[in-house]
């Protein structure tokens, strides 16, 4: 961090901001009086008021203060903040005076300030820490974001966990009574769960993992497909958390030896979360995984998925056929269900009867008859599908073709006047045919019913706030030469890591798609059940772009990175 600014005795530091700006001709006296009058009415800081009135820009104000006061101007989005150091300033002081502690040594401290002319703030920090204060000037919006990240989340979770641990440690505490108490505000377990869900929403996490070990508790969140963890020493809180979650999901709290699955809805602020919960017995108790579905977000369109225009158009043509089968394939967590819902959005009109068979139902759709599979009582995919065919549907969505009976019924429905959408867990469009043949589906039936296979993955987007140009390293060059020789990647970028992306270099994800339409020589290979011939015909199909090639296009545009391309390729080159 290049912040070794001297502790100057600049007399300008003792001037108030307004006087300083007038003194150097940045604003005139009349503008200052206007701003002071507006400030009295709004109660806002003078600098923010001047910017709001249009008398100067925030960037000009910051550069002026940096130059005149001889202090550094920092970009907090790229600044690594050490939480242990920063939290030496109490939250109330940090927020009241808009200051963030960045560095500390034996002699002095460095603080980031939105208004470095605030003498009261400097004096209060010096009084609390008993050290001289060096200043850096930063954007107020970045400072507030940094304070939100610093003082919420991990520290609050740990504090709440500690509070719950203390309560559980008291001999006269009735755990069941506490967990079932209607006084939510006073129950630490409720507040801990509420903060957990708030942080997950804020970080856009898809899953929360609660994993007890012998001497600690791990809470991990999957953000953009990658787990990020926090470790807590209060291991005794794990049973209380699990028990409360089981009660919310209407599970058997006395059964701790067998896995259980359930779901519940929770409101966090103005947002409604649908939570799918799975418990599993482990050595130190019960582990819990929660899949979070934000019902306020709704379903996406094909364009919002990041699907290339030509792929989206071809998918639309396929799903608007009067009959046939479209399979969406990929591993767990590749966005298959999201794609299916986007396709249903295109088809969902008053003139179209749609029935879905799902396990579980992820999003409620208007005008769509959605059926939840319940295998424990015999309500299987195949049984529901058999009944659905008697309900006169135009479109049927089968959540997953898990067995031969379901696959055969889906294929037969596709050749008897229905359009069928479904998923398979396979790595590529060619592997999908191999999987169906291995299950026992006849090649002639697949050739008649199957219209197309859409294989997909999710890759992480490079964070736009810290993206920099880069070139492939030795390992990446060897991979490119072996799989994609002569590929031009002039726009290759990587993320350096910043506060916006939690120093991962990535923020958000985008879909990568491989669409294979079944026609021509592909049909002949299918009828013969010739897997090698089918793979050969796929490679020779005009306009066929593999997952790896499509991901490379995104890398060449600077949207994703080469390591992400290599990760999703996984040897599935055709």
């Amino acid at each position: 961090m290049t912040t070794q600014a001297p502790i100057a005795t600049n007399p300008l530091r003792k001037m108030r901001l307004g006087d300083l700006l007038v003194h150097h001709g940045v604003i005139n006296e009349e503008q200052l009086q206007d701003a002071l009058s507006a400030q009295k009415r709004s109660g806002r800081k003078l600098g923010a008021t001047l910017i709001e009135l249009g008398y100067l820009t925030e960037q000009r104000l910051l550069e002026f203060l940096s130059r005149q006061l001889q202090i550094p101007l920092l970009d907090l989005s790229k600044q690594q903040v050490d939480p242990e150091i920063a939290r030496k300033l109490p939250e109330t002081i940090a927020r009241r005076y808009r200051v963030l502690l960045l560095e500390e040594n034996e002699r002095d401290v460095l603080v980031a300030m939105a208004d470095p002319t605030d003498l009261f703030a400097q004096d209060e920090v010096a009084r609390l820490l008993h050290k001289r204060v060096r200043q850096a000037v930063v954007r107020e919006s970045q400072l507030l974001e940094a304070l939100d990240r610093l003082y919420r989340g991990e520290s609050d979770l740990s504090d709440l966990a500690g509070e719950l641990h203390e309560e559980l440690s008291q001999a006269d505490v009735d755990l069941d009574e506490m967990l079932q108490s209607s006084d939510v505000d006073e129950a630490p377990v409720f507040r801990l769960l509420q903060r957990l869900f708030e942080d997950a929403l804020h970080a856009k996490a898809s899953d929360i993992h609660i994993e007890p070990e012998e001497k600690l508790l791990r809470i991990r969140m999957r953000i953009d497909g990658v787990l990020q963890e926090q470790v807590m020493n209060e291991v005794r809180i794990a049973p209380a958390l699990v028990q409360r979650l089981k009660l919310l999901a209407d599970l058997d709290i006395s059964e701790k030896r067998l896995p259980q699955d359930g779901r519940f809805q929770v409101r966090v602020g103005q947002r409604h979360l649908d939570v799918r919960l799975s418990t599993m017995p482990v050595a130190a108790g019960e582990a819990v995984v929660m899949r979070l579905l934000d019902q306020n977000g709704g379903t996406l369109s094909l364009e919002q998925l990041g699907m290339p225009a030509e792929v989206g158009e071809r998918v639309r043509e396929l799903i608007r056929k009067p009959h046939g089968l479209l399979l969406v394939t990929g591993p767990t967590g590749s966005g298959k269900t999201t794609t299916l819902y986007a396709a249903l959005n295109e088809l969902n009109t008053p003139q179209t009867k749609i029935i879905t068979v799902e396990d579980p139902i992820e999003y409620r759709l208007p005008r769509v008859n959605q059926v939840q599979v319940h295998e424990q009582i015999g309500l299987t995919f195949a049984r529901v599908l058999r009944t659905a065919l008697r309900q006169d549907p135009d479109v049927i969505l089968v959540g997953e073709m898990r067995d031969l009976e379901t696959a055969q019924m889906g294929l037969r429905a596709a050749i008897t006047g229905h359009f069928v959408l479904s998923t398979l867990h396979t790595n590529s469009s060619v592997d999908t045919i191999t999987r169906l043949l291995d299950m026992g589906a006849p090649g002639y039936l697949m050739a008649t019913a199957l219209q197309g296979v859409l294989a997909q993955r999710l890759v992480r987007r490079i964070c736009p706030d810290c993206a920099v140009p880069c070139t492939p390293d030795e390992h990446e060059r060897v991979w490119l030469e072996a799989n994609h020789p002569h590929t031009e990647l002039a726009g290759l970028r990587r993320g350096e890591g910043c506060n916006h992306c939690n120093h991962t270099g990535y923020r958000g994800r985008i879909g990568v798609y491989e669409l294979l339409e079944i026609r021509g020589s592909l049909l002949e290979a299918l009828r013969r059940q010739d897997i090698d011939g089918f793979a050969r015909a796929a490679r020779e199909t005009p306009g066929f772009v593999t997952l790896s090639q499509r991901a490379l296009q995104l890398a060449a545009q600077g949207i994703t990175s080469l390591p992400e391309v290599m990760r999703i390729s996984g040897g599935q080159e055709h």
Side-chain angles (χ1 to χ4, degrees):
M1 190 184 296
T2 55
T3 52
Q4 298 303 316
I7 306 172
T9 55
N10 189 337
L12 294 176
R13 289 176 185 266
K14 301 299 182 183
M15 294 181 69
R16 292 178 299 180
L17 177 60
D19 296 333
L20 194 61
L21 292 168
V22 170
H23 178 78
H24 286 276
V26 178
I27 59 172
N28 57 41
E29 186 64 37
E30 183 181 351
Q31 290 172 327
L32 174 60
Q33 294 308 316
D34 272 353
L36 289 172
S37 299
Q39 184 191 21
K40 286 179 182 177
R41 293 192 297 271
S42 67
R44 300 188 66 192
K45 290 273 190 178
L46 180 61
T49 305
L50 287 166
I51 293 165
E52 192 175 86
L53 292 172
Y55 292 150
L56 77 170
T57 64
E58 184 179 20
Q59 187 62 27
R60 188 183 177 195
L61 174 61
L62 296 176
E63 290 173 351
F64 168 80
L65 289 172
S66 173
R67 185 173 57 253
Q68 295 299 325
L69 300 181
Q70 300 172 21
I71 60 177
L73 169 59
L74 299 181
D75 182 353
L76 272 186
S77 69
K78 298 179 180 177
Q79 197 82 21
Q80 187 84 38
V81 177
D82 185 337
E84 288 190 13
I85 292 177
R87 290 192 187 117
K88 290 184 178 181
L89 270 185
E91 181 178 3
T92 53
I93 298 298
R95 291 190 183 279
R96 182 188 305 162
Y97 294 111
R98 300 287 201 271
V99 294
L100 176 64
L101 183 58
L102 296 177
E103 290 181 0
E104 181 184 36
N105 57 43
E106 293 180 358
R107 301 182 309 279
D108 53 46
V109 294
L110 173 69
V111 294
M113 302 181 67
D115 179 8
T117 64
D118 187 340
L119 298 179
F120 292 109
Q122 296 174 48
D123 291 344
E124 186 64 15
V125 172
R127 184 188 67 79
L128 281 171
L129 301 178
H130 307 289
K131 292 181 180 178
R132 293 186 298 172
V133 175
R134 288 186 291 126
Q135 301 160 275
V137 62
V138 296
R139 286 181 180 273
E140 185 173 22
S141 58
Q142 289 185 348
L143 180 63
L144 293 175
E145 285 179 12
L147 292 177
D148 284 341
R149 281 193 302 270
L150 179 69
Y151 290 107
R152 61 167 294 149
E154 290 192 5
S155 62
D156 285 355
L157 280 176
S158 295
D159 291 345
L160 287 168
E163 185 179 342
L164 177 57
H165 186 264
E166 285 180 16
E167 190 161 328
L168 292 174
S169 299
Q170 297 173 11
D172 59 347
V173 170
D174 186 332
L175 179 61
D176 290 336
E177 184 179 323
M178 186 193 78
L179 290 177
Q180 298 178 45
S181 169
S182 59
D183 191 358
V184 175
D185 290 334
E186 295 302 316
V189 67
F190 276 107
R191 296 204 301 276
L192 178 58
L193 285 173
Q194 182 182 31
R195 182 46 55 87
L196 201 57
F197 288 127
E198 285 176 354
D199 290 346
L201 274 177
H202 180 75
K204 298 181 179 177
S206 61
D207 303 83
I208 299 174
H209 297 238
I210 299 174
E211 302 169 340
E213 296 183 11
E214 187 178 351
K215 295 183 179 179
L216 53 86
L217 174 66
R218 294 185 194 277
I219 294 183
R220 302 198 279 178
M221 294 188 188
R222 191 174 295 279
I223 302 168
D224 294 337
V226 178
L227 287 171
Q228 298 181 13
E229 82 170 9
Q230 179 185 355
V231 176
M232 296 180 177
N233 294 322
E234 297 84 2
V235 70
R236 287 193 58 178
I237 72 172
L241 284 176
V242 173
Q243 189 166 355
R244 169 46 62 185
L245 289 168
K246 281 183 168 182
L247 287 168
L248 290 172
D250 198 24
L251 300 180
D252 183 356
I253 60 173
S254 64
E255 179 56 75
K256 300 178 181 180
R257 300 166 301 170
L258 295 174
Q260 297 187 69
D261 296 305
R263 68 189 303 162
F264 60 91
Q265 289 189 324
V266 62
R267 180 173 174 175
V268 183
Q270 299 302 311
R271 311 273 286 279
H272 292 270
L273 276 181
D274 196 3
V275 182
R276 282 162 40 192
L277 179 141
S278 173
T279 71
M280 182 175 67
V282 294
E286 289 180 279
V288 172
V289 176
M290 292 182 283
R291 168 64 58 89
L292 310 179
L293 301 168
D294 187 356
Q295 298 298 323
N296 295 70
T299 55
L300 302 176
S301 67
L302 295 176
E303 288 84 4
Q304 289 172 314
L305 295 176
M307 193 175 284
E310 75 275 11
V311 175
E313 205 51 51
R314 287 158 62 197
V315 169
R316 283 192 181 90
E317 290 175 11
L318 288 175
I319 64 177
R320 293 192 185 282
K321 290 180 181 290
H323 55 81
L325 170 65
L326 174 65
L327 287 173
V328 180
T329 74
T332 301
S334 59
K336 299 185 297 297
T337 304
T338 304
T339 299
L340 288 178
Y341 277 113
L344 287 187
N345 263 344
E346 298 273 337
L347 299 170
N348 192 3
T349 65
Q351 296 77 34
T352 305
K353 169 87 170 188
I354 301 175
I355 297 177
T356 74
V357 190
E358 306 175 66
D359 184 23
I361 296 170
E362 296 202 3
Y363 292 100
R364 269 54 173 189
L365 299 175
R367 206 186 294 114
V368 176
N369 295 270
Q370 296 174 270
V371 183
Q372 168 72 57
V373 167
H374 200 324
E375 295 195 358
Q376 289 88 342
I377 61 171
L379 196 63
T380 62
F381 276 108
R383 184 171 180 179
V384 178
L385 185 51
R386 194 178 298 114
T387 304
L389 292 173
R390 297 196 287 269
Q391 294 279 316
D392 188 31
D394 299 297
V395 176
I396 302 171
L397 184 150
V398 182
E400 184 183 348
M401 289 189 170
R402 295 179 178 176
D403 52 56
L404 177 59
E405 186 183 8
T406 306
Q408 285 186 325
M409 290 195 65
L411 289 166
R412 293 190 187 281
I415 62 176
T416 56
H418 311 89
F419 194 84
V420 180
L421 296 152
S422 191
T423 71
L424 269 180
H425 285 83
T426 60
N427 290 323
S428 70
S429 53
V430 173
D431 287 345
T432 301
I433 304 305
T434 306
R435 173 75 187 283
L436 285 171
L437 289 173
D438 286 345
M439 287 170 65
Y444 71 87
L445 191 57
M446 290 163 57
T448 307
L450 195 54
Q451 296 288 342
V453 181
L454 180 69
Q456 69 178 73
R457 293 289 191 286
L458 292 174
V459 294
R460 291 182 291 172
R461 290 178 180 266
I462 296 169
C463 175
D465 291 290
C466 61
V468 295
C470 69
T471 56
D473 62 25
E474 184 62 31
H475 177 61
E476 293 163 350
R477 281 196 297 271
V478 170
W479 182 86
L480 281 170
E481 189 59 36
N483 296 288
H484 301 278
H486 316 300
T487 302
E488 290 294 328
L489 292 173
L492 204 61
R493 300 195 302 171
R494 65 176 178 84
E496 288 190 309
C498 65
N499 287 335
H500 291 295
C501 61
N502 200 23
H503 298 279
T504 63
Y506 298 97
R507 196 163 87 228
R509 291 189 289 178
I510 186 171
V512 181
Y513 302 92
E514 171 186 294
L515 178 61
L516 182 61
E517 297 177 72
I518 310 301
R519 58 192 178 193
S521 56
L522 292 168
L523 288 172
E524 292 304 316
L526 256 185
R527 288 192 183 97
R528 297 193 310 269
Q529 300 194 170
D530 179 2
I531 294 174
D532 291 337
F534 186 88
R536 201 163 42 247
R539 285 194 297 269
E540 295 167 359
T541 299
F544 177 62
V545 182
T546 68
L547 285 166
S548 184
Q549 290 166 340
R550 191 74 69 181
L552 272 176
Q553 292 174 2
L554 294 175
Q557 297 167 33
I559 296 173
T560 192
S561 67
L562 198 49
E564 282 291 283
V565 177
M566 295 167 66
R567 178 181 64 82
I568 70 156
S569 297
Q572 297 298 325
E573 304 296 338
H574 302 318

